[in-house]
Amino acid sequence: GEDVEQSLFLSVREGDSSVINCTYTDSSSTYLYWYKQEPGAGLQLLTYIFSNMDMKQDQRLTVLLNKKDKHLSLRIADTQTGDSAIYFCAESIKGGKLIFGQGTELSVKP
Amino acid sequence: DSGVTQTPKHLITATGQRVTLRCSPRSGDLSVYWYQQSLDQGLQFLIHYYNGEERAKGNILERFSAQQFPDLHSELNLSSLELGDSALYFCASSARTPPETQYFGPGTRLLVL
């Protein structure tokens, strides 16, 4: 089946690292994505990882992929108040459609 | 700014009515995807068009239809609207057929009263 699961909430202090986790079910996924949605706004592509990679780093963002466990994580280093938003994990499956998780609401406290 | 544009930004209408949502993909992108975001269902894939042809359908109601025109813009038509159709509708585009990265527009917020 097609299912992506995320925890709903995460609260961190400014300057700490945030880790948002995601599990997915479709082993044929070729790409996995992280999108950010701020209140009243659209979905902003943050980063993506190809399924044959274990890790990808992009400035403050680090994506880890454990394909065996179908587990994806997004680490945000030095989290700022401007990082407060909802983060969606998504897998790209056959046919190109994206299956999204429920979103993790990240709250960054000063 | 993703380069994907959607109009209108907001739409308020009554039950039973019909509306059309418009999307212009990024320059050069041939694929257009439509998604619905609601509080109870989350983000759901509706339909995918590639260069004018329908490529995949998701949980799209029969009251909903879409098309992609020769200039590659797309329209999502929602008819016989119900209260439960109130949602944020997103369009996304990508450069080639899947799998390719999808860039999302700002969305159209539909409120059915």
Side-chain angles (χ1 to χ4, degrees):
Chain A
E2 304 162 354
D3 196 20
V4 177
E5 297 282 337
Q6 295 178 243
S7 53
L8 295 181
F9 300 101
L10 176 65
S11 180
V12 300
R13 291 268 175 212
E14 194 172 22
D16 288 349
S17 290
S18 308
V19 179
I20 302 171
N21 294 300
C22 167
T23 57
Y24 61 98
T25 55
D26 196 317
S27 56
S28 67
S29 295
T30 48
Y31 287 93
L32 295 129
Y33 300 88
W34 285 102
Y35 286 88
K36 175 183 179 183
Q37 186 176 31
E38 295 181 75
L43 291 162
Q44 176 194 349
L45 175 68
L46 281 180
T47 187
Y48 63 91
I49 188 166
F50 190 49
S51 59
N52 68 354
M53 296 170 65
D54 298 323
M55 185 181 90
K56 180 179 179 182
Q57 189 148 2
D58 186 359
Q59 299 181 336
R60 292 192 298 124
L61 305 179
T62 303
V63 179
L64 294 177
L65 175 60
N66 181 328
K67 199 170 179 183
K68 174 176 164 289
D69 294 338
K70 298 191 184 72
H71 182 265
L72 183 73
S73 68
L74 173 70
R75 178 176 179 269
I76 306 173
D78 187 26
T79 314
Q80 303 297 307
T81 53
D83 294 323
S84 293
I86 300 177
Y87 291 79
F88 290 92
C89 162
E91 60 172 341
S92 172
I93 67 169
K94 186 182 173 184
K97 68 180 183 181
L98 294 179
I99 305 297
F100 285 89
Q102 314 94 303
T104 298
E105 184 176 345
L106 174 65
S107 172
V108 184
K109 301 189 186 317
Chain B
D1 185 356
S2 67
V4 179
T5 60
Q6 289 187 249
T7 56
K9 196 172 172 65
H10 300 280
L11 201 46
I12 302 174
T13 188
T15 54
Q17 294 299 304
R18 183 179 191 274
V19 297
T20 297
L21 281 50
R22 184 187 167 103
C23 167
S24 292
R26 297 184 318 158
S27 177
D29 284 0
L30 300 180
S31 271
V32 169
Y33 305 79
W34 287 97
Y35 292 84
Q36 179 194 61
Q37 185 179 33
S38 62
L39 281 173
D40 53 344
Q41 297 286 328
L43 270 158
Q44 299 276 321
F45 167 74
L46 294 178
I47 198 161
H48 168 216
Y49 275 84
Y50 176 79
N51 202 21
E53 291 187 8
E54 182 187 302
R55 281 297 178 95
K57 257 185 178 178
N59 298 325
I60 187 166
L61 299 170
E62 282 193 16
R63 300 183 285 108
F64 295 1
S65 64
Q67 53 183 329
Q68 186 180 26
F69 295 87
D71 66 352
L72 301 175
H73 91 271
S74 177
E75 292 180 356
L76 179 67
N77 300 296
L78 315 177
S79 61
S80 303
L81 284 167
E82 301 175 0
L83 296 178
D85 297 328
S86 295
L88 197 47
Y89 291 85
F90 286 111
C91 160
S93 76
S94 69
R96 294 190 285 125
T97 50
E100 277 296 339
T101 302
Q102 294 181 28
Y103 294 89
F104 282 74
T108 293
R109 188 172 294 279
L110 173 66
L111 180 59
V112 183
L113 299 175

